[in-house]
Amino acid sequence: MKTTRACIGCACLLAGMAGNIVRAQAPDDRDYVTQEQYDALRRDFETLKAEMRADRQNEPATASGQGEADGPTWLDLERTRLRMDAIEATLEESRAGLSNFMVTGFAFTRFVNAERMDSTFTAKFVPLFLWQPTDRLLFQAEIEFGLDGQGETEVELEYAEASYIINDYLTLGAGKFLTPFGLFAERLHPAWINKFPDMPLIYGHDGIAPFTSLGIYARGGVPVGSTMFNYAIYLSNGASLNTGEDEPDEAGMLHFENFSDINNNKSVGGRVGFLPIPEVEFGFSFNWGKVNPSGSEVGDVDAFIWGLDFTYVQEVDFLAGLFDVRFEFARSEVDDTVFDPMGAALFFKNNRDGLYGQIAYRPTKSGIEFLRDFEFVGRYDYLNLPAGAPEEADHERWSVGVNYWLSPSTVLKFTYERLEVEGEPDTDAFLAMFAIGF
Amino acid sequence: MFTRKSLFMMAVAGAAGCGTAALTGCSGDGQTTAPLTQVAPAAFAPRDSAALENAGARIWARNCIRCHNIRTPASFSDRQWGIIMHHMRVRANLTGEQHEAVLRFLQAAN
């Protein structure tokens, strides 16, 4: 750049001089230059020549890292230009445009060592795709990648749903969604959020509360004075009743992975939450629908599941830390019917209930900085199964643990559990988990 | 109106000082240990707020910790916060006003 400018300067000067010399030969007196003018022009010319020479000497010197002290050279400028071009290209690439897309999610590795069982590591990777085509429209899908015992990769579509904001207080959605029943499925299940390496007993395959649903929903929040209500209501395929024909041990259990409905009836469900202050929430949930497969021998069977939940999360000054307290109770009531697994008529009152209460304390305001990243957790849960059912043993469990937070969404969990199953010896277990939300 | 730093400090103060700073992994940023209740009265909506960002900071500090640890505003870009806040609005049943206030705050403070 500098060289170019110098060249142009020189060329003009030379052109000017040449013009003057040509004119100097002309007879007109006005075109003659004085000695003074000539000397001035000559000095300018010499200065420019010297600058050009210095520039030329600088070029290789800078390339080998010398000459920096003289200020930026053409090479520096060229480098800066290239860097600017790269930044411009990156900015262009990440320009919002009309549709926004991002990938978040979580991953974890878990170790379980339970009495009378082989200890094992497991791992899961759960990416969450978020796509926001417009300010009102959001698509979210979470896929769970795991490994089975044979080393094969298991893939599960945890949820995939689209939602549309109708107004400040109402959003509609459709797809496979985390069921807004209670707290755990919708709010606490990601490994970087859950305070323990495992689920409460009322959730999961043998549990009684719905985890995901396939259907449509409406939800939102409404402030009332200084308090707040929130609601969610949904219509879904609902649960399916295990009649015991294929799995006699599970006769009477409800399954929520009912992805192509087993009957024509849809389930209706929902949750209402009330927050007197942001730190406290009370919730009531329900789910009601027909659960028998069409044409099954068990006849028409309805199931009504309901639940209560409570949340308290607050940093308490005088205890120098953050308290996170959760409680959930759920009860499932299934109409009377006779099951016939393997030709033996079986009747039992098909009601189940369970709960968990957990507390976590993190000394976030402790004077000892090192302690602030530790969290102490405790949980009690139970699950009561119907007497007379193929699986009737009630479960009760105590869990205590210490978590260490490496970042707001990266945690190491160490938990000790004692599980008491009716009629069986107690089982002690040690669990550890490394979870990361990204 | 507010510098990014001051907005963030305000929110950290709102979330009761250094403790939450530790939660967010930003130890040292929270200078005040003023209890939460002195900073923000029990309110969810920016009823009398002079600035939406200010209200957003308070809502962020008190509501976003309900389900999980808070992530600092600097954790994500403006565009990413736009998507995340839409996600959280649906998940946490926030009103339009709360959504907008928190988003404004996060985008100003990151």
Side-chain angles (χ1 to χ4, degrees):
Chain A
M1 289 274 275
K2 205 170 173 183
T3 316
T4 324
R5 249 187 287 123
C7 285
I8 294 167
C10 264
C12 294
L13 200 67
L14 286 173
M17 285 173 76
N20 284 340
I21 291 161
V22 171
R23 278 187 214 112
Q25 289 165 354
D28 190 342
D29 265 7
R30 283 170 306 171
D31 288 339
Y32 281 97
V33 284
T34 61
Q35 184 65 37
E36 230 170 283
Q37 283 171 320
Y38 174 78
D39 288 344
L41 279 168
R42 175 104 211 189
R43 270 196 309 277
D44 285 351
F45 179 58
E46 289 303 329
T47 319
L48 272 169
K49 251 175 38 184
E51 268 183 22
M52 274 175 72
R53 218 173 292 129
D55 256 7
R56 231 176 266 134
Q57 275 166 0
N58 259 344
E59 286 168 19
T62 313
S64 62
Q66 296 160 12
E68 302 276 4
D70 298 341
T73 63
W74 71 274
L75 203 56
D76 294 329
L77 293 172
E78 190 60 16
R79 276 202 206 110
T80 312
R81 194 182 61 77
L82 288 175
R83 227 173 283 148
M84 296 273 284
D85 284 353
I87 292 169
E88 209 179 333
T90 315
L91 277 175
E92 189 58 29
E93 266 170 34
S94 56
R95 216 157 58 105
L98 288 175
S99 70
N100 287 320
F101 179 76
M102 81 181 270
V103 181
T104 73
F106 61 95
F108 67 82
T109 303
R110 177 172 45 201
F111 174 74
V112 182
N113 185 6
E115 260 182 301
R116 297 181 298 283
M117 285 205 270
D118 292 332
S119 63
T120 184
F121 282 101
T122 48
K124 273 191 178 158
F125 167 55
V126 191
L128 162 60
F129 301 90
L130 297 171
W131 179 41
Q132 186 193 29
T134 74
D135 281 352
R136 287 174 182 265
L137 196 57
L138 179 75
F139 175 78
Q140 39 175 317
E142 194 165 88
I143 300 167
E144 201 176 279
F145 292 92
L147 294 165
D148 70 5
Q150 279 70 49
E152 297 290 319
T153 302
E154 282 176 338
V155 181
E156 203 179 307
L157 185 63
E158 184 91 328
Y159 62 85
E161 52 146 304
S163 57
Y164 189 81
I165 296 172
I166 300 290
N167 61 35
D168 274 5
Y169 312 105
L170 172 66
T171 299
L172 299 182
K176 186 187 182 214
F177 50 88
L178 292 167
T179 313
F181 182 103
L183 303 174
F184 189 80
E186 229 197 13
R187 304 179 175 192
L188 308 176
H189 89 273
W192 64 275
I193 300 179
N194 187 4
K195 305 285 185 203
F196 294 87
D198 54 6
M199 287 194 214
L201 293 167
I202 54 172
Y203 288 93
H205 181 75
D206 299 332
I208 54 176
F211 203 94
T212 59
S213 298
L214 191 53
I216 53 173
Y217 66 78
R219 64 187 303 159
V222 187
V224 178
S226 68
T227 69
M228 178 93 196
F229 280 92
N230 59 57
Y231 67 92
I233 181 144
Y234 57 88
L235 195 70
S236 72
N237 277 352
S240 66
L241 179 70
N242 196 325
T243 58
E245 281 155 32
D246 297 329
E247 296 151 314
D249 279 356
E250 298 196 350
M253 272 173 63
L254 291 178
H255 298 307
F256 299 96
E257 303 92 32
N258 181 16
F259 302 140
S260 67
D261 207 349
I262 41 99
N263 61 30
N264 238 334
N265 271 276
K266 299 292 159 269
S267 269
V268 57
R271 177 178 180 279
V272 185
F274 170 61
L275 292 89
I277 52 169
E279 290 77 15
V280 174
E281 180 171 1
F282 299 93
F284 169 76
S285 311
F286 76 98
N287 181 301
W288 175 74
K290 210 166 272 310
V291 291
N292 58 292
S294 300
S296 156
E297 286 178 6
V298 293
D300 271 2
V301 182
D302 283 7
F304 182 66
I305 311 165
W306 61 275
L308 297 171
D309 61 76
F310 169 76
T311 303
Y312 168 69
V313 181
Q314 189 166 26
E315 203 160 38
V316 182
D317 252 3
F318 73 95
L319 292 169
L322 182 83
F323 276 89
D324 184 316
V325 182
R326 318 253 171 192
F327 166 86
E328 256 191 87
F329 169 83
R331 179 172 169 83
S332 138
E333 296 167 4
V334 181
D335 283 353
D336 291 345
T337 187
V338 177
F339 297 95
D340 193 13
M342 306 194 299
L346 188 63
F347 175 82
F348 52 88
K349 249 314 215 204
N350 198 359
N351 296 337
R352 296 151 200 257
D353 58 49
L355 62 73
Y356 72 87
Q358 70 180 44
I359 182 166
Y361 167 70
R362 185 169 166 190
T364 46
K365 301 182 93 179
S366 161
I368 309 162
E369 201 174 328
F370 162 78
L371 264 184
R372 294 182 199 160
D373 294 327
F374 282 93
E375 187 175 47
F376 305 94
V377 292
R379 179 182 67 191
Y380 167 74
D381 58 344
Y382 76 72
L383 180 65
N384 284 340
L385 301 180
E391 283 196 6
E392 59 175 349
D394 294 344
H395 289 55
E396 195 178 12
R397 185 172 61 176
W398 293 91
S399 318
V400 288
V402 178
N403 301 335
Y404 180 72
W405 290 93
L406 289 114
S407 85
S409 61
T410 312
V411 61
L412 266 169
K413 309 178 203 176
F414 302 96
T415 305
Y416 171 78
E417 290 184 355
R418 167 159 292 184
L419 176 69
E420 298 171 16
V421 180
E422 220 181 9
E424 289 178 24
D426 295 353
T427 308
D428 288 347
F430 169 74
L431 296 91
M433 178 184 264
F434 175 60
I436 179 160
F438 46 86
Chain B
M1 199 159 50
F2 295 104
T3 63
R4 278 156 194 243
K5 178 97 175 164
S6 73
L7 271 173
F8 183 65
M9 293 286 293
M10 222 151 62
V12 170
C18 305
T20 304
L23 281 188
T24 59
C26 61
S27 319
D29 258 2
Q31 307 277 308
T32 170
T33 50
L36 181 57
T37 40
Q38 283 174 21
V39 182
F44 296 87
R47 279 172 306 176
D48 54 355
S49 63
L52 208 54
E53 283 109 335
N54 186 2
R58 276 187 284 128
I59 298 169
W60 175 74
R62 296 187 73 183
N63 285 266
C64 299
I65 195 133
R66 261 166 48 207
C67 299
H68 51 69
N69 286 344
I70 281 179
R71 305 219 200 158
T72 58
S75 309
F76 298 98
S77 69
D78 282 6
R79 192 174 66 94
Q80 289 173 321
W81 275 125
I83 307 172
I84 292 168
M85 275 309 298
H86 191 155
H87 185 209
M88 287 304 112
R89 171 179 179 163
V90 179
R91 188 64 65 96
N93 299 311
L94 302 179
T95 64
E97 200 174 2
Q98 291 168 341
H99 170 199
E100 199 188 333
V102 178
L103 180 59
R104 288 252 200 118
F105 156 70
L106 289 167
Q107 290 182 336
N110 68 355

